[in-house]
Amino acid sequence: MWGIFLESVVIFKNYMGFYENGYLAGIYLFALLYLWLTEKNKQRRAVFVYAPTLLLVMFFCPLFRKAFVRILDDSETYYRLLWLLQMSLVSAYGIIRLCGRHRRIGLAVMCVAIAACGNYVYDSEYITRAENAYHLPQEAIDIVDLIEPEEGRITVLVPADLIYYVRQYSTNIELPYGREMLVSRWDYYHAMYEAMEKAEVIETESFTELTRTYPCSYVVLKEDRKTEEPLTEYGFILYDRVGEYLIYKDTKTAD
C-alpha cells in the first residue's frame, strides 16, 4: 500500500510541475486552504472546497487506485482524475476572496502571478503556433481536402506523423490503424504498420497487397520514403503532392 501511495505522489508531482517549479500548484493549494478556513457559503464550499479535497483524498488513497485500475484495466490514465481539480476556478475564486473588496486589484495580481509562475508554452517542443482555425498542421488538412469523398467513407494509409490529425479533421477518412500503434509500451503488432513504418525500404509487392486487404483507396508517403519499386508499377497513380507528402491513388480500389 505504501508503494502505491508513493507512486500516486510521483504522479501528482509530475502533473503539478513540481519538478520544474510548482508555483502554480502552490497558488492552487494556498487558495484551497484559504477557502477551507474562510468560505461560509454552503453551495460554494461544496464546489470549491469539498469536491477538490475529496478528489485529492481519493487520488492518494491506495485502495481507490487499486479499484480504479482493476475496473478500468488501465493504470496509465489514473492521472486524468486530476483534471477534475478545477485548479483555475479554485485559484481564481480563492485569490479574489482573499483580496476582499479590492477585486480589480486582486484580479490584476492573480493574472500577473499566473503569468510569472508559469512557463512560456511555445518553449515546449510539443507545442507550436496554430496554422489555422483547426489547430492542426495545414498539410494534414490539405491532404484530407484533396481526397475526402463527398459521400461515404474511404480508408487511407498515411505516415505515422499524420495519424492523430487526419481523424481529428474528418471522420470520413478511416485508417488501417490508429494511435495504439504509436505507443511503444503497448507493444501492439499490425502487419500494415510494420510494412509502412518499420521496414527500412518498403517491399512494394507485399506492401500493395496489404493496402488492398482493407482496402486503402489512397496511400500517402513522404517523398523521401524508399520503396523497392515505384507504386505506379502496381496500379497506383501519383494523384497529387502536398508539401513533403506524395498522395498515391489506387486505381483498383479507389472510386
Side-chain angles (χ1 to χ4, degrees):
M1 290 294 183
W2 180 247
I4 296 176
F5 171 77
L6 291 179
E7 289 177 1
S8 297
V9 171
V10 172
I11 293 172
F12 182 79
K13 287 183 176 180
N14 283 326
Y15 179 83
M16 291 293 187
F18 278 105
Y19 295 108
E20 296 180 7
N21 54 53
Y23 296 131
L24 291 177
I27 292 175
Y28 169 75
L29 295 175
F30 171 78
L32 180 60
L33 177 61
Y34 177 78
L35 292 175
W36 256 109
L37 299 175
T38 61
E39 181 59 59
K40 304 301 180 183
N41 184 284
K42 293 182 178 180
Q43 288 78 16
R44 295 174 185 173
R45 193 172 179 84
V47 174
F48 295 110
V49 178
Y50 296 146
T53 301
L54 177 61
L55 184 63
L56 285 172
V57 171
M58 293 170 59
F59 180 84
F60 288 109
C61 176
L63 292 177
F64 176 80
R65 184 178 178 190
K66 290 183 69 174
F68 179 95
V69 173
R70 176 169 296 182
I71 293 173
L72 298 182
D73 193 26
D74 186 2
S75 62
E76 296 180 0
T77 60
Y78 190 65
Y79 75 94
R80 294 181 181 176
L81 288 173
L82 298 175
W83 292 353
L84 304 176
L85 283 178
Q86 309 174 74
M87 289 184 62
S88 58
L89 292 177
V90 172
S91 299
Y93 180 68
I95 299 301
I96 293 299
R97 279 292 311 276
L98 177 64
C99 295
R101 297 180 179 179
H102 305 288
R103 293 184 179 180
R104 292 182 179 179
I105 297 176
L107 178 61
V109 170
M110 187 64 188
C111 291
V112 171
I114 291 175
C117 295
N119 297 318
Y120 187 59
V121 294
Y122 294 117
D123 287 340
S124 171
E125 61 179 306
Y126 304 108
I127 300 176
T128 57
R129 294 185 181 276
E131 300 179 46
N132 47 64
Y134 298 98
H135 288 242
L136 298 173
Q138 189 60 46
E139 289 179 327
I141 292 175
D142 292 341
I143 289 172
V144 173
D145 287 342
L146 280 170
I147 64 179
E148 184 178 23
E150 294 183 2
E151 296 181 358
R153 296 181 176 181
I154 57 173
T155 301
V156 178
L157 179 63
V158 300
D161 58 344
L162 292 179
I163 285 177
Y164 290 106
Y165 309 120
V166 169
R167 288 291 286 167
Q168 289 182 60
Y169 182 60
S170 173
T171 57
N172 293 328
I173 304 294
E174 296 184 350
L175 305 174
Y177 47 81
R179 174 176 174 268
E180 73 280 358
M181 300 308 304
L182 306 182
V183 183
S184 58
R185 64 180 178 273
W186 290 352
D187 197 28
Y188 282 101
Y189 174 84
H190 196 291
M192 187 75 264
Y193 179 79
E194 295 291 319
M196 178 69 167
E197 301 292 341
K198 294 298 185 67
E200 184 175 345
V201 179
I202 291 177
E203 201 288 302
T204 312
E205 183 175 0
S206 59
F207 177 80
T208 55
E209 289 177 359
L210 278 172
T211 65
R212 286 165 180 155
T213 60
Y214 291 96
C216 296
S217 300
Y218 295 87
V219 172
V220 180
L221 298 178
K222 287 188 174 180
E223 61 181 352
D224 60 353
R225 190 67 171 100
K226 297 179 180 179
T227 59
E228 287 186 350
E229 302 171 85
L231 294 184
T232 52
E233 294 185 9
Y234 287 83
F236 287 81
I237 61 171
L238 182 57
Y239 182 73
D240 213 324
R241 175 180 182 140
V242 174
E244 62 176 334
Y245 298 98
L246 303 177
I247 305 171
Y248 291 92
K249 180 176 181 178
D250 190 348
T251 58
K252 296 184 178 181
T253 59
D255 294 333

